[in-house]
Amino acid sequence: MKGSRFLEKANDPGQSWVMYFLVGILGLGILGNGVANLILEDLASWLAQQIGLPKLIVQLVMVAIVATLIILGIYLSKLDERMQALLSARVQSQTNVTPLTDTYWGLIAIASIPRPDKTTPAEEAFQFHWQQGQGQLRYCWLICTEDVSDTTRNRLQPLVSQSLQTKVPIMLIDNPDVALAPTWEVGPKLQLQLIRVDRFSANDPDYMRRLVERIYDQAKALSINSQEVIADYTGGTKSMTAGVVLACSTPERHLQYISGRYDDQNELQGFEVMKVNLSYRLKLAKE
């Protein structure tokens, strides 16, 4: 911290005995005596003449005032510490993870390796917000690594066919370079876009952060507010999860994850979508 070296030398003879003597002892001693003489001698004498009281009485009153100010300063500093502790305790007790009840207009999810007998976290997130066409979901960006992209696409095909019977059919867009269309052009349809990333990029959190940032830029171009999009970080690699969280560290961007519900025998009974409320903002370091 700038300026702290001077204070260290003035208060610690081990740092610089010359600075300690000139400033810490001689300089501050002279300054303290000068202020005391100014207040208790010159100012006290002037006040005694003005109000017609003995100088000793005026000096005692001034000493009492100084003592009161010192005690008040100590009390206020303790009060400030108590207030900070109280506010800190309130922040810590805030609930930042709650069950999600509302569906969103846009969803960003990460595809996992599909298993024949189980749904993936991305599929659970998609179904929660789509709800067979009853939810608000109209845009979904599904990020896939190269090893799961084909199986994910094949697994989505039956769902796309079934969605034709709902009021919000699914448009599967397999090309990540295709720009999504605004809803007033395509009507009540859900545009689901597969975004492939190679294995090297999937293990780079900063690449994933930039990818999610581009998705939010695309949503903005479609007149979709950031608060209408939610990102699920359950699936994928740890680096992919880290990149999604980094991109959504601002309060106006929402996060969710899929949590399993278990019974007393620790058997999986279902899934629950949990919303994560972040109360801080990250700032990128200058390169």
Side-chain angles (χ1 to χ4, degrees), residues 103-108 129 137 139 141 212-232 244 247-256 275-277 281:
T103 60
Y104 276 67
W105 194 260
L107 171 67
I108 302 171
H129 291 279
L137 189 63
Y139 296 93
W141 295 269
V212 176
E213 292 282 359
R214 289 197 298 270
I215 293 176
Y216 274 97
D217 290 340
Q218 185 178 7
K220 184 178 180 180
L222 293 167
S223 301
I224 305 173
N225 191 286
S226 294
Q227 296 184 351
E228 297 177 306
V229 179
I230 194 165
D232 189 293
V244 172
C248 300
S249 62
T250 56
E252 62 270 13
R253 293 182 179 178
H254 298 167
L255 283 168
Q256 70 170 52
K275 182 180 179 182
V276 181
N277 299 311
R281 183 184 300 269

Side-chain angles (χ1 to χ4, degrees), residues 196-210:
R196 294 179 180 82
V197 294
D198 56 57
R199 184 174 296 276
F200 179 79
S201 300
N203 289 295
D204 182 354
D206 194 52
Y207 174 86
M208 291 302 304
R209 177 191 61 81
R210 295 194 303 269

Side-chain angles (χ1 to χ4, degrees), residues 228-286:
E228 297 177 306
V229 179
I230 194 165
D232 189 293
Y233 60 85
T234 313
T237 65
K238 294 180 175 62
S239 296
M240 296 173 79
T241 296
V244 172
V245 174
L246 285 172
C248 300
S249 62
T250 56
E252 62 270 13
R253 293 182 179 178
H254 298 167
L255 283 168
Q256 70 170 52
Y257 70 91
I258 307 299
S259 177
R261 294 195 308 270
Y262 296 86
D263 59 16
D264 296 337
Q265 287 73 38
N266 204 29
E267 294 290 336
L268 182 64
Q269 299 299 310
F271 296 93
E272 188 173 18
V273 182
M274 307 298 293
K275 182 180 179 182
V276 181
N277 299 311
L278 297 184
S279 56
Y280 58 86
R281 183 184 300 269
L282 298 180
K283 182 179 180 181
L284 291 178
K286 295 182 179 178

